[in-house]
Amino acid sequence: MITPAKYFAFTFALSCLLPTVIAFSSNSGSGDVVRASTGNRPSLHPIVINCISDALRCRSLAHLTAGNDGTIPTVDVEQKGVKPIDIAMAASQIATDALANREIACKADESSDLDKFVEAEYQVIAGRVVGVVMRIPDLESTLRSKVRSAPWVKKYKDYSSFGVIEAECDGDGNDVLSGELKDSCLTCLKDDPLLRMNRAECLLAIFLDEVEKPKLELLGESLPGGCDVDFMSSDRLEVLRGSFQ
């Protein structure tokens, strides 16, 4: 069995392969004038969240269609016959494609070097995408448990803000999705981009707080951009951290 620590090391080691297939540009256009004046680096979180959302969409499509003809990345760790390395490679390809598209966009709008990710940032982005995708079932189980524990979410039926449907959080705390409930959940995620994006944000937040940050603190290391969860509202974050009133 692969432990969380081994997953962490594996995903970051795998992501180090990605810069070899990404073409870096030395173009120094005008880009973001404000960023150029402050020297601040672009956030890594948006592209990671988009990649996780894309992986959730691919999982839904693969599960709900009759068969995968190879055009849909295999990112479902619960799919029978699929090896962890297959999931990792599929997730890394999603990250590679997103990073390559961003590089193209930066060239097209003549972005300055400060607008572009550097090699270390590429590695962190890819590592986080792979790390989250390979842990989706566990992260989703944690997410449902945390949402279920927040009375105000049930009171106001604000499930969609966390990327879950109400039926997921009903019952006696069984966090294993199967049968019609799983089909319903994956259909909603496939058809609702906002729901999918909210879920991706929550999964990344849990990953950063409960997997990446503790591991980095144990090793005494840090990563470019840090691992603070600064991309969601305080009320949602309080639920994910169990610190709501």
Side-chain angles (χ1 to χ4, degrees), residues 54 57-58 61-62 65 67-74 93-94 97:
D54 194 27
R57 180 185 63 85
C58 291
L61 288 172
T65 54
N68 189 350
D69 58 2
T71 60
I72 305 174
T74 304
Q93 188 60 55
I94 290 175
D97 292 344

Side-chain angles (χ1 to χ4, degrees), residues 222-233:
S222 61
L223 294 174
C227 53
D228 291 335
V229 181
D230 55 6
F231 49 84
M232 62 170 53
S233 62

Side-chain angles (χ1 to χ4, degrees), residues 143-164:
L143 173 59
R144 286 189 287 270
S145 177
K146 291 177 179 295
V147 171
R148 189 183 296 115
S149 298
W152 70 262
V153 177
K154 182 177 182 179
K155 178 179 179 180
Y156 297 106
K157 297 189 179 298
D158 195 17
Y159 296 98
S160 63
S161 293
F162 297 88
V164 298

Side-chain angles (χ1 to χ4, degrees), residues 209-227:
D209 271 359
E210 301 190 8
V211 180
E212 183 176 290
K213 191 172 183 178
K215 183 62 177 179
L216 289 174
E217 290 177 347
L218 180 64
L219 297 174
E221 300 288 347
S222 61
L223 294 174
C227 53

Side-chain angles (χ1 to χ4, degrees), residues 6-137:
K6 290 182 179 178
Y7 264 132
F8 185 89
F10 172 71
T11 56
F12 272 84
L14 179 65
S15 71
C16 290
L17 300 175
L18 294 180
T20 63
V21 297
I22 300 293
F24 290 92
S25 169
S26 59
N27 185 354
S28 298
S30 58
D32 189 326
V33 177
V34 174
R35 180 172 293 134
S37 67
T38 62
N40 291 337
R41 300 294 305 151
S43 174
L44 311 188
H45 296 320
I47 193 169
V48 174
I49 292 167
N50 285 337
C51 288
I52 296 170
S53 176
D54 194 27
L56 292 173
R57 180 185 63 85
C58 291
R59 180 186 62 164
S60 293
L61 288 172
H63 178 81
L64 297 169
T65 54
N68 189 350
D69 58 2
T71 60
I72 305 174
T74 304
V75 293
D76 189 352
V77 299
E78 296 179 320
Q79 183 176 331
K80 293 182 178 179
V82 176
K83 300 177 181 178
I85 187 62
D86 298 328
I87 304 295
M89 293 305 295
S92 69
Q93 188 60 55
I94 290 175
T96 300
D97 292 344
L99 289 167
N101 288 336
R102 189 181 189 280
E103 180 72 13
I104 292 172
C106 284
K107 289 180 180 179
D109 64 11
E110 298 184 341
S111 298
S112 70
D113 289 338
L114 282 174
D115 297 320
K116 302 170 186 176
F117 293 131
V118 298
E119 182 174 329
E121 291 168 334
Y122 273 65
Q123 293 174 6
V124 172
I125 290 167
R128 284 175 179 164
V129 172
V130 176
V132 170
V133 170
M134 295 190 71
R135 296 172 62 85
I136 280 179

